[in-house]
Amino acid sequence: MPASAVSPEVLTRYEPVIGLEVHVQLLTATKAFCGCANRFGAEPNTNICPTCLGLPGALPVLNAKAVEFATLASLALNCEVRERSIFARKNYFYPDLPKGYQISQYDKPLAEHGWIDVSTADGSIKRIGITRLHMEEDAGKSLHEGFPDSATHTYLDLNRCGTPLIEIVSEPDIRTPDEAFEYLTRLKDILLYTGVSDCNMEEGSLRCDANVSVRPRGQEEFGTKAEVKNVNSFKFIRAALEYEIERQVDVIESGGHVVQETRLYNADEGRTYSMRSKEQAHDYRYFPEPDLPPVVLTPEFLAAMKAKLPELPEARRKRMIADYDLTEKDAHTLTVSREFADRFEAAAKTARNPRRVANILLNEVGGRLKALGIHLDQSPVSVAGIVQAADLLDEGKISSKQMKQIFDVCFEKGEDFGPVYEREKPQQITDTAAIEKLIDEVIAANPRQVEQYRAGKKTIAGFFVGQVMRSSKGQAHPALLNDLVVKKLEG
Ligand SMILES: [Zn+2]
């Protein structure tokens, strides 16, 4: 993890306090309280009905799948799930919220008291608390750009109204922009593994607001916080926090006061701008949603959700490190997505030596991908191809040098291992007499090494294997060659 870009000198005197609010759209087929399709990218104002538009007389019906997904996410984030939670109306007016209120949860959220472990700059593990996870619905979208008359008009797309969301609020436990970055990375990782959201930030499926303040080291009381809103990548959030910490320290050191406000980050300029001051918390006049009964989760439902929870990224990495003899970094590469990790493990299990599959994937294929700057998912060599290579190597049907040559061709021509192997299958010398003849020549030419072997230096057998491999132009059957070299040297 890179060191924070906030000047170390500032950090010796001031301590940042950061809390994150993350909104995540759930991947349900339909919306939270009506049967409209929950889909990104449809023609504007086509997936709408009286309920999600809040027309008089329309009644919401809770989507069971949304409750399932929200519960799965809560459990994956180590939260305590409430058996009885309450929907509440959060009243405010905004053009893209035609109902005049948002259905959310207030004092009885679905889940509380969770946590995520993150690694910090010094390599230790730090636990970041999760205050709450609640269900709510998304608002529509105001389109301020992209139309000929955008200078004077705002357009509304209400397709997003009623999209099921979970909001995950962290404790103010985060102390550096890097910790914030780590927390978000882990959070996204976990949510992707549970499959409750695609967490696509470009499409707005995952959105993050950050609360940040600074206080002199040693001071118990929090400083005045600013909220940085809707930054659309984790890198930008880190940069926005870095900027904001330095800005607040400057304000304090020049004798001013930080004002409580909402600020927007401009990625091109790398700075935040004041959007509106927030003297007081908004008075949303929350009250229990009269059109929806309390959400009651039975012990059976909770047990079923717990059973449904997949192995989560952190646990999976730990297990894979042991199963495949991996480094921490390699384990991260193989668990980059649940789909890829599943694909790898399913294939590796069929191989004679699963560790060898991991090794070839990470080093031979991984190295070539890295050199080309392409992702594992775009590799011309499939996981099945890697298993085939590993098995051939294990059975001694190809040497590692031949395997490398085949991989070179695969990457050159964009083909999988199987077809290239079939076409360029190395002509192997499996004739014992022919190999023995080559070994005899090498033994005759290297009496000193023979002496060393017979004096007890058994590892020098590798020297003879290498020499014969070279004189056979890499075509001697590797396993046969190994056996024969030992036999000859012993004899
Ligand atoms: Zn609807």
Side-chain angles (χ1 to χ4, degrees):
M1 194 164 40
S4 169
V6 181
S7 105
E9 192 271 326
V10 162
L11 290 177
T12 57
R13 288 178 295 128
Y14 290 90
E15 181 177 53
V17 174
I18 300 164
L20 299 172
E21 292 171 12
V22 177
H23 285 88
V24 179
Q25 290 181 342
L26 300 176
L27 263 184
T28 53
T30 55
K31 293 187 182 178
F33 305 111
C34 63
C36 293
N38 172 27
R39 203 172 56 237
F40 179 85
E43 276 293 297
N45 301 311
T46 51
N47 294 325
I48 49 175
C49 74
T51 302
C52 52
L53 294 181
L55 300 187
L59 288 172
V61 177
L62 178 58
N63 182 341
K65 201 74 195 169
V67 179
E68 238 179 68
F69 281 176
T71 306
L72 269 177
S74 303
L75 294 171
L77 297 170
N78 308 296
C79 291
E80 292 165 19
V81 181
R82 227 194 212 92
E83 285 175 25
R84 191 170 187 276
S85 62
I86 307 284
F87 279 109
R89 283 192 188 179
K90 180 180 181 180
N91 297 282
Y92 67 97
F93 172 76
Y94 207 74
D96 58 24
L97 185 73
K99 282 212 292 243
Y101 62 87
Q102 178 190 25
I103 301 179
S104 182
Q105 294 187 309
Y106 184 52
D107 54 349
K108 301 270 190 300
L110 177 74
E112 290 170 292
H113 312 305
W115 46 264
I116 293 177
D117 281 341
V118 302
S119 47
T120 60
D122 65 8
S124 62
I125 297 293
K126 176 171 172 180
R127 183 157 291 184
I128 309 292
I130 290 172
T131 315
R132 56 188 277 146
L133 183 155
H134 66 255
M135 288 186 277
E136 60 183 29
E137 60 178 338
D138 215 340
K141 249 191 212 165
S142 299
L143 308 171
H144 303 290
E145 285 166 17
F147 296 92
D149 52 355
S150 281
T152 52
H153 289 70
T154 289
Y155 287 79
L156 291 172
D157 177 5
L158 301 177
N159 280 345
R160 204 174 68 177
C161 285
T163 295
L165 291 179
I166 48 176
E167 179 174 342
I168 301 152
V169 182
S170 87
E171 291 286 313
D173 288 345
I174 299 165
R175 291 291 172 271
T176 66
D178 286 333
E179 281 177 24
F181 183 88
E182 275 292 298
Y183 169 88
L184 291 168
T185 306
R186 296 284 169 112
L187 174 63
K188 182 179 167 188
D189 230 18
I190 292 167
L191 293 173
L192 282 175
Y193 262 63
T194 58
V196 304
S197 175
D198 61 18
C199 298
N200 184 330
M201 291 189 84
E202 288 84 53
E203 296 182 356
S205 317
L206 189 153
R207 314 196 285 272
C208 178
D209 304 331
N211 287 304
V212 54
S213 63
V214 297
R215 61 182 172 190
R217 294 248 169 222
Q219 179 183 306
E220 192 71 24
E221 196 189 326
F222 289 156
T224 306
K225 68 184 176 186
E227 186 181 24
V228 183
K229 273 198 113 52
N230 283 342
V231 189
N232 63 6
S233 86
F234 294 169
K235 272 187 195 153
F236 287 161
I237 287 180
R238 179 163 58 191
L241 287 169
E242 286 166 357
Y243 175 84
E244 196 49 29
I245 290 163
E246 298 259 10
R247 184 191 71 85
Q248 292 184 11
V249 169
D250 280 351
V251 169
I252 294 168
E253 303 236 304
S254 57
H257 295 281
V258 175
V259 282
Q260 187 171 339
E261 62 184 349
T262 301
R263 299 180 68 88
L264 286 183
Y265 179 67
N266 182 317
D268 294 331
E269 298 172 30
R271 53 167 296 180
T272 62
Y273 285 94
S274 177
M275 184 170 88
R276 58 168 181 255
S277 69
K278 208 175 185 180
E279 309 78 34
Q280 286 295 314
H282 282 289
D283 188 355
Y284 291 119
R285 305 214 169 229
Y286 282 98
F287 62 85
E289 167 60 61
D291 291 339
L292 285 166
V295 182
V296 178
L297 305 182
T298 62
E300 293 76 29
F301 172 82
L302 284 171
M305 289 303 106
K306 274 180 195 152
K308 229 178 168 176
L309 210 57
E311 185 181 29
L312 295 170
E314 210 40 49
R316 185 166 201 169
R317 278 194 279 275
K318 282 204 182 102
R319 179 180 58 72
M320 285 174 63
I321 285 171
D323 285 1
Y324 304 100
D325 209 10
L326 302 173
T327 63
E328 179 86 29
K329 188 169 158 278
D330 289 345
H332 271 274
T333 306
L334 291 179
T335 54
V336 60
S337 73
R338 183 179 161 192
E339 294 70 40
F340 185 79
D342 287 348
R343 203 143 35 94
F344 162 73
E345 291 215 90
K349 270 189 201 121
T350 66
R352 293 163 60 103
N353 182 346
R355 287 184 184 196
R356 196 190 285 282
V357 176
N359 190 287
I360 294 174
L361 193 157
L362 291 161
N363 298 312
E364 294 301 333
V365 176
R368 285 171 173 79
L369 289 170
K370 204 172 166 202
L372 293 171
I374 60 177
H375 195 258
L376 260 174
D377 281 341
Q378 301 159 293
S379 169
V381 179
S382 67
V383 180
I386 293 169
V387 169
Q388 187 185 0
D391 282 350
L392 287 168
L393 197 62
D394 226 60
E395 291 160 9
K397 289 186 180 154
I398 52 171
S399 65
S400 62
K401 189 178 165 198
Q402 287 164 340
M403 179 185 71
K404 285 174 203 281
Q405 286 166 347
I406 295 175
F407 279 138
D408 284 341
V409 176
C410 292
F411 275 81
E412 214 177 279
K413 306 210 162 158
E415 285 183 275
D416 205 352
F417 185 87
V420 178
Y421 171 74
E422 280 311 316
R423 204 170 56 231
E424 318 222 343
K425 203 183 312 202
Q427 295 302 312
Q428 281 202 327
I429 305 173
T430 51
D431 174 6
T432 308
I435 296 175
E436 277 179 336
K437 185 165 167 282
L438 292 171
I439 296 173
D440 287 339
E441 283 166 19
V442 173
I443 283 180
N446 298 283
R448 204 161 51 84
Q449 281 80 355
V450 177
E451 276 313 307
Q452 288 176 349
Y453 181 88
R454 293 188 175 144
K457 196 179 173 191
K458 301 291 182 198
T459 50
I460 208 148
F463 164 78
F464 291 96
V465 171
Q467 292 297 307
V468 175
M469 232 357 149
R470 186 178 296 177
S471 64
S472 74
K473 299 193 170 58
Q475 292 179 346
H477 186 286
L480 194 56
L481 172 61
N482 272 318
D483 289 349
L484 291 173
V485 161
V486 173
K487 210 157 89 188
K488 283 274 178 193
L489 288 169
E490 295 289 340

